[in-house]
Amino acid sequence: MSQPYSCHVMAKPSGSICNIDCHYCFYLEKEKLYPERNSNWQMSDETLELYIKQQIEAQPGDEVDFAWQGGEPTLLGIDFYRKAVSFCKRYGSHKNIRHAFQTNAILLNDEWCTFLKENDFLVGVSIDGPEHLHDHYRVTSSGKATHAKVMQGISLLKKHNVEFNTLTVISDNNAKHAKEVYEFLIEIGSRYLQFIPLVEREIATNNENELRLVEPGNSLASLTPWSVPSWQYGEFLNQVFDIWIQRDVGRIFVQTFDSTLASWLGQNAGICIFAETCGHALALEANGDLYNCDHFVYPDHKLGNIHDVSIYEMNNGDKAVQFGLDKKDSLTEDCKQCEFRFACHGGCPKHRFAVSKSGKPNHNYFCEGYKHYFAHTSVRMKQMGQLLQQQRPAAQIMDHIRAQKQQSLKASPGRNDPCPCGSSLKFKKCCGR
């Protein structure tokens, strides 16, 4: 008998209800799937207790993670999460339980921060950069800016010494400002950064009850104007990487870089989009409905309801397992032959709606950008991997780069000569910039 799968569940106790109205949000319209819950959108205590109990039971080991998202999870109020912590103590007293909490930070106050600190919640703050970039899309329902209020929330987290990281959506708007975004996030105190590429497709519909943003299989959809161009996303990562590799290794942690380095070391990617298979990062709606993935909350991908079937059974059932295997089995020939397959594995299935260079459908929209990024970072990733294999810190690469730069200045290469740092780029395109 095969070992049971562990699973990560992204719980949405407020469903799609949120206190702001981000123009690009793919989840706000999920309320159309649950019109009966418009006036009763909160997760009930009964569902909460059942979820806590089942999520603990579903894990084969002693590590149990709870991830609270939305919508906006603070809308439930502190007492809801006090109950959650109490249920965790009741059902998982001998387990190592961790809580992650993704928020726009607007409703945070001293009471919230005291609770988060006392219960060791890791807080993720959604912020898209400095004010002029963040407020382009992340606004209230009346169109008012939100950046100042988010910054107030971050100040409170820092005041109470609550550990936080940042989640930044990379759209058409902020993708051209990589250095500005990166420096801003470090300046506000973030040490763990997530950069999430934004691409959505929409259909023209006159039916207000129909989902406008579609899943990959729909061929009649067109890109939304806020989607980031593929190459531009890769270039964003490259520009951030070029700063990070010279100055911030070991001090600042970028999720995508960590995942790529793990792949160069022959380890599993740290994020699902670059994993060989998926299917066990589930999404839980407020009424107990469980879906294959946060990005696949569509009727066809509903696994069941925790009031009828346990998380353990759904996670290890044929439908969830097959969803994960399909990621590997449905790669295009271009992907199978790609030199960076080991680090990418075709990317997220949600993004597989493009046509490959050889004319094959169901190719990843971000392929060009990913190749641009993997090629640009490959030399340094290999070097860091070698340092780690020698049981030396990856941060030593910064000393290596400084020494190479000093040597290159002495050698005075021509503008069109290969850069002596080993990047495979011309000097004028690399250290000579």
Side-chain angles (χ1 to χ4, degrees):
M1 180 178 178
S2 61
Q3 289 292 320
Y5 294 95
S6 61
C7 65
H8 179 274
V9 176
M10 186 179 292
K12 297 175 177 289
S14 64
S16 61
I17 303 299
C18 191
N19 57 331
I20 63 175
D21 190 14
C22 302
H23 296 329
Y24 59 58
C25 184
F26 71 95
Y27 219 86
L28 288 178
E29 69 167 2
K30 299 300 182 182
E31 64 183 4
K32 296 175 182 177
L33 296 175
Y34 298 97
E36 75 283 358
R37 293 183 59 81
N38 286 338
S39 59
N40 185 27
W41 47 267
Q42 300 100 325
M43 178 179 283
S44 68
D45 290 351
E46 180 187 6
T47 302
L48 173 64
E49 182 175 6
L50 195 59
Y51 163 54
I52 297 292
K53 182 176 184 292
Q54 289 188 12
Q55 173 67 348
I56 292 171
E57 292 174 344
Q59 309 312 313
D62 291 331
E63 305 294 321
V64 185
D65 291 315
F66 286 92
W68 306 98
Q69 286 208 7
E72 172 51 42
T74 55
L75 290 172
L76 275 294
I78 298 175
D79 285 344
F80 177 86
Y81 297 98
R82 288 194 176 112
K83 292 173 186 174
V85 171
S86 176
F87 289 142
C88 285
K89 291 177 180 177
R90 180 184 302 176
Y91 295 108
S93 58
H94 302 296
K95 301 272 189 174
N96 181 21
I97 294 177
R98 297 181 293 258
H99 294 273
F101 194 80
Q102 189 66 39
T103 176
N104 57 39
I106 290 174
L107 296 179
L108 295 181
N109 54 27
D110 287 316
E111 186 182 9
W112 262 112
C113 292
T114 298
F115 167 80
L116 294 168
K117 178 64 177 177
E118 288 178 347
N119 293 281
D120 201 25
F121 275 52
L122 171 61
V123 178
V125 177
S126 299
I127 186 167
D128 287 355
E131 185 174 9
H132 71 103
L133 297 174
H134 175 94
D135 286 339
H136 188 78
Y137 287 130
R138 296 188 67 83
V139 296
T140 67
S141 57
S142 59
K144 293 181 179 179
T146 63
H147 190 269
K149 291 183 178 180
V150 176
M151 291 302 297
Q152 289 175 7
I154 290 174
S155 295
L156 285 167
L157 291 170
K158 292 160 73 172
K159 171 186 170 183
H160 289 269
N161 295 315
V162 178
E163 184 179 356
F164 76 96
N165 56 35
T166 50
L167 185 154
T168 302
V169 174
I170 306 304
S171 67
D172 68 310
N173 177 56
N174 60 0
K176 297 178 182 178
H177 303 274
K179 182 178 186 297
E180 184 179 7
V181 170
Y182 180 65
E183 299 287 18
F184 170 80
L185 295 174
I186 294 174
E187 181 184 335
I188 65 173
S190 180
R191 294 295 176 263
Y192 296 86
L193 285 59
Q194 296 181 60
F195 296 119
I196 309 299
L198 174 64
V199 60
E200 294 290 346
R201 297 189 310 145
E202 59 184 343
I203 56 172
T205 175
N206 294 320
N207 185 351
E208 62 180 15
N209 295 317
E210 185 177 8
L211 293 177
R212 183 171 55 89
L213 302 177
V214 299
E215 56 185 314
N218 194 310
S219 61
L220 300 177
S222 58
L223 281 179
T224 58
W226 51 81
S227 296
V228 60
S230 174
W231 184 90
Q232 188 65 62
Y233 177 62
E235 179 64 12
F236 177 94
L237 292 175
N238 289 349
Q239 290 183 25
V240 171
F241 183 84
D242 289 345
I243 302 170
W244 177 82
I245 196 67
Q246 298 182 64
R247 192 189 72 192
D248 296 329
V249 180
R251 182 176 78 94
I252 305 297
F253 299 88
V254 180
Q255 186 186 52
T256 305
F257 302 164
D258 290 346
S259 175
T260 304
L261 181 56
S263 296
W264 277 105
L265 286 166
Q267 301 170 1
N268 292 329
I271 47 179
C272 60
I273 63 170
F274 292 144
E276 185 175 22
T277 61
C278 57
H280 304 284
L282 313 173
L284 181 73
E285 268 291 332
N287 70 337
D289 284 348
L290 194 69
Y291 291 85
N292 279 125
C293 171
D294 179 42
H295 289 284
F296 282 84
V297 178
Y298 298 97
D300 289 347
H301 293 282
K302 178 180 168 182
L303 297 174
N305 189 287
I306 63 173
H307 289 274
D308 304 317
V309 188
S310 72
I311 292 175
Y312 176 91
E313 292 175 280
M314 287 186 275
N315 180 51
N316 290 279
D318 292 343
K319 190 172 182 178
V321 173
Q322 191 59 52
F323 179 87
L325 294 176
D326 283 347
K327 181 186 180 187
K328 175 183 176 181
D329 296 340
S330 62
L331 289 176
T332 62
E333 286 302 315
D334 299 66
C335 274
K336 292 177 182 178
Q337 298 171 18
C338 179
E339 62 180 311
F340 300 119
R341 176 184 174 181
F342 73 97
C344 175
H345 293 295
C348 179
K350 183 185 179 181
H351 301 151
R352 294 182 183 179
F353 55 80
V355 176
S356 70
K357 286 188 176 181
S358 64
K360 302 299 182 183
N362 303 320
H363 198 64
N364 197 295
Y365 167 84
F366 285 111
C367 178
E368 181 185 14
Y370 287 154
K371 281 187 174 181
H372 183 43
Y373 159 70
F374 288 126
H376 181 79
T377 60
S378 61
V379 170
R380 297 305 187 197
M381 288 292 179
K382 289 178 185 177
Q383 291 171 343
M384 285 190 290
Q386 290 169 354
L387 286 169
L388 291 170
Q389 288 170 342
Q390 296 166 9
Q391 298 187 351
R392 297 159 63 190
Q396 285 188 4
I397 194 170
M398 295 185 290
D399 297 329
H400 180 59
I401 292 172
R402 280 191 288 270
Q404 284 185 322
K405 283 192 171 183
Q406 292 173 354
Q407 185 63 35
S408 70
L409 291 173
K410 294 177 183 178
S412 300
R415 283 171 49 77
N416 291 310
D417 290 339
C419 188
C421 78
S423 68
S424 302
L425 299 174
K426 291 182 178 179
F427 179 68
K428 68 182 179 182
K429 296 283 189 180
C430 190
C431 295
R433 282 193 298 189

